[in-house]
Amino acid sequence: MNVEKLMNDLEKRHPGEVEYLQAVREVLETIEDVYNENPQYEANGIIERLIEPDRILTFKVPWTDDNGKVHVNLGYRVQFNGAIGPYKGGLRFHPSVNLSILKFLGFEQIFKNSLTSLPMGGGKGGSDFNAKGRSDREIMRFCQSFMLELWKIIGPETDVPAGDIGVGGKEIGFLFGMYKKLACEHTGVLTGKGLKWGGSLVRPEATGFGNVYFAQEMLATKGETFQGKTVVVSGFGNVAWGAVRKVTELGGKVVAISGPDGYVYDKDGISGKKIDYMLQLRATNEDIVKPYSYEFGAEFHQGKRPWEVKCDVALPCATQNELGKEDALTLVKNGCICVCEGANMPCTPEAIEVIQEHKILFAPGKAANAGGVATSGLEMSQNSMKLSWSAKEVDEKLHGIMKNIHEACVKYGKDASGYVNYVKGANIAGFLKVADAMVDQGII
Ligand code: NDP
Ligand code: 2IT
């Protein structure tokens, strides 16, 4: 494999798709040795086939607002790789959505889903729709219009979307309702469904819980636990909420959460009803975290990121490239011992370099946030069997999956000095299974 040639060719084909190119480069650089040691991969053109999606559906999404005005958004579904199972991955509704972002997310999803050990291929979709300030009826009409196109290429055995930024239980409900009407069937075509109509217990908190289970395993390699640790979390959405809950349960103290408007510093720790309040904040559709500060008398730092707060553990749970080199240097200076990504690709490559150089524990999202999609996989199993597991059963399975992913990262990522490069470990472990499946299935 010639990484530079592959990257040059990819960049020529897809100029300006920076997030996608960033995600591909990281994988190529870490799997290069394993790839070259297995000549069957080169012989089958595995990497050239893996870095391009199987197909992309692009469509327009016209909808009418409450005043009768017509709006047109763009909708996408990227079906990246289906070697080990139906395409699986979330839908993101956010004004910043474009093909580069969805391709980076779909590409990462291939390895993440492989790591879960469940039979799921990689995919992602979404729209540049902005829900901020929109009424529920407007969101409903948008979701219905979106599904009017999407339903043609999804199905419980072909492609199973779920939530991501801007898509939670409410949107999944509207999307499911429209799919059901169009397909005339009630199946597990989406995950993250309501508990009364096919959803799985623990799915809402699964990404955050899984992230903290993973961090717990990382800390254990150093003989550490969450007990008494100071933790900083970014974001205040689905992932952040679950992470804050689990850290608190394990005896840690979360002192900061953040939104696009800035961060909140609560020296007493975010626990109990303060965590419930995070859900209320999110549900307002305003996307600001500031109101937390007057509700609970905490400090609010306008326009700032939370990484300047001294902490033992950092959990970036908002969005891609939100933690840069300077932030990483600040974390190191303040004695942080573990950075565990809850979001997808929140740390820039330069930040990861700083963290790894200082031999601080670092886990990439594709390993450490896999609990969300893993529990989606468990929801699919329950839907297929037409039964529901208890919260305890799902949580135990989730916990077991996160421990296994950690083990796989250690197996493929530990270097001669004993330091675990989780980025390398996750990429290799995730890649091998998919690559072998592609070899078995022929060049198609
Ligand atoms: P939410 O929509 O609940 O929260 C996301 C938060 O990030 C919002 O506050 C949002 O604010 C902010 N945000 C989004 N895009 C940007 C941007 N470009 N710049 C600055 N802030 C931004 O999403 P989730 O909690 O579901 O997702 C958070 C992260 O976790 C994402 O990276 C997602 O891909 C990842 N993830 C989610 C999983 C899930 O099951 N939901 C599973 C695994 C990973 P605003 O809209 O104002 O920008
Ligand atoms: O990034 C992710 O893994 C998700 N948004 C969850 C995907 C899913 O299918 O549950």
Side-chain angles (χ1 to χ4, degrees):
M1 179 200 300
N2 181 336
V3 175
E4 288 315 317
K5 177 163 186 332
L6 281 164
M7 287 310 303
N8 279 338
D9 291 350
L10 202 64
E11 209 164 339
K12 263 189 220 137
R13 255 191 200 167
H14 307 290
E17 296 194 1
V18 286
E19 294 86 359
Y20 166 52
L21 295 166
Q22 177 185 338
V24 172
R25 176 177 282 283
E26 182 208 275
V27 169
L28 297 190
E29 285 177 347
T30 47
I31 65 165
E32 189 177 3
D33 291 346
V34 166
Y35 194 86
N36 291 335
E37 285 158 16
N38 289 274
Q40 73 276 21
Y41 296 155
E42 189 78 49
N44 283 278
I46 295 296
I47 205 62
E48 290 80 359
R49 289 161 55 210
L50 190 61
I51 59 182
E52 287 289 350
D54 287 353
R55 67 190 65 78
I56 300 175
L57 176 69
T58 309
F59 49 94
K60 70 168 181 249
V61 190
W63 58 281
T64 310
D65 69 21
D66 289 343
N67 299 317
K69 185 173 181 313
V70 177
H71 299 258
V72 178
N73 284 100
L74 292 179
Y76 310 88
R77 184 70 182 167
V78 180
Q79 296 184 331
F80 223 113
N81 186 289
I84 62 170
Y87 303 105
K88 180 83 194 91
L91 297 172
R92 177 176 291 194
F93 292 169
H94 192 270
S96 65
V97 161
N98 58 37
L99 255 190
S100 170
I101 289 177
L102 296 181
K103 281 166 69 180
F104 118 64
L105 289 163
F107 183 70
E108 295 247 299
Q109 201 82 41
I110 305 170
F111 306 93
K112 185 194 303 193
N113 293 3
S114 166
L115 285 167
T116 67
S117 76
L118 300 172
M120 301 182 288
K124 200 84 187 188
S127 172
D128 57 1
F129 175 68
N130 188 357
K132 208 173 282 186
R134 291 290 168 201
S135 70
D136 282 355
R137 284 298 162 92
E138 288 174 324
I139 292 173
M140 179 185 79
R141 286 193 293 277
F142 171 81
C143 289
Q144 290 173 338
S145 181
F146 185 85
M147 187 51 86
L148 212 44
E149 284 295 328
L150 185 70
W151 84 286
K152 297 168 188 166
I153 60 155
I154 62 171
E157 306 295 340
T158 44
D159 184 350
V160 184
D164 192 79
I165 290 179
V167 179
K170 178 171 67 185
E171 291 77 13
I172 293 291
F174 295 146
L175 291 163
F176 186 80
M178 193 61 174
Y179 178 87
K180 190 169 60 76
K181 192 170 179 77
L182 291 162
C184 288
E185 56 180 35
H186 195 298
T187 56
V189 67
L190 295 163
T191 58
K193 298 187 289 300
L195 288 178
K196 298 184 176 115
W197 42 278
S200 174
L201 285 162
V202 189
R203 177 62 188 91
E205 46 277 77
T207 312
F209 276 23
N211 182 246
V212 175
Y213 291 147
F214 196 93
Q216 215 182 355
E217 295 299 308
M218 296 169 82
L219 291 172
T221 66
K222 303 276 177 216
E224 298 276 2
T225 68
F226 268 105
Q227 190 63 44
K229 294 281 181 304
T230 300
V231 181
V232 164
V233 174
S234 64
F236 66 106
N238 299 313
V239 180
W241 165 74
V244 174
R245 269 186 61 187
K246 189 50 79 179
V247 167
T248 309
E249 237 178 86
L250 295 175
K253 182 156 99 169
V254 179
V255 294
I257 51 173
S258 73
D261 53 334
Y263 77 86
V264 164
Y265 173 69
D266 184 341
K267 65 174 181 354
D268 300 326
I270 301 164
S271 61
K273 65 178 194 312
K274 295 176 178 174
I275 300 178
D276 301 336
Y277 184 73
M278 284 174 74
L279 281 185
Q280 287 173 35
L281 261 185
R282 198 82 204 109
T284 61
N285 263 0
E286 291 301 325
D287 233 336
I288 49 172
V289 80
K290 188 176 181 181
Y292 180 105
S293 61
Y294 7 100
E295 188 76 17
F296 301 110
E299 287 174 26
F300 176 68
H301 296 262
Q302 180 96 27
K304 292 225 173 142
R305 301 193 218 186
W307 314 122
E308 62 189 29
V309 176
K310 187 171 163 46
C311 66
D312 302 306
V313 179
L315 305 176
C317 294
T319 194
Q320 66 275 353
N321 293 328
E322 54 154 315
L323 194 160
K325 185 175 178 179
E326 290 306 314
D327 301 315
L329 287 166
T330 308
L331 287 170
V332 171
K333 190 176 77 179
N334 285 342
C336 173
I337 59 168
C338 175
V339 180
C340 186
E341 293 188 336
N344 287 307
M345 212 167 75
C347 299
T348 64
E350 297 76 25
I352 298 174
E353 211 179 302
V354 168
I355 297 166
Q356 289 182 331
E357 259 173 17
H358 288 82
K359 304 287 180 203
I360 287 168
L361 293 167
F362 174 78
K366 63 166 83 72
N369 73 30
V373 74
T375 308
S376 280
L378 300 177
E379 183 171 327
M380 288 165 74
S381 306
Q382 293 169 79
N383 292 162
S384 301
M385 292 190 290
K386 311 256 185 275
L387 52 80
S388 311
W389 292 325
S390 67
K392 185 166 175 283
E393 277 175 288
V394 179
D395 192 37
E396 277 171 9
K397 286 183 168 57
L398 166 65
H399 201 158
I401 288 170
M402 298 315 294
K403 282 185 172 181
N404 289 341
I405 297 175
H406 183 269
E407 233 170 73
C409 290
V410 172
K411 179 174 172 190
Y412 292 104
K414 201 176 206 161
D415 69 18
S417 73
Y419 179 70
V420 181
N421 182 336
Y422 287 87
V423 177
K424 184 176 172 192
N427 286 341
I428 294 177
F431 167 76
L432 287 175
K433 185 169 155 194
V434 176
D436 291 343
M438 289 173 76
V439 171
D440 290 347
Q441 293 169 20
I443 299 162
I444 40 153

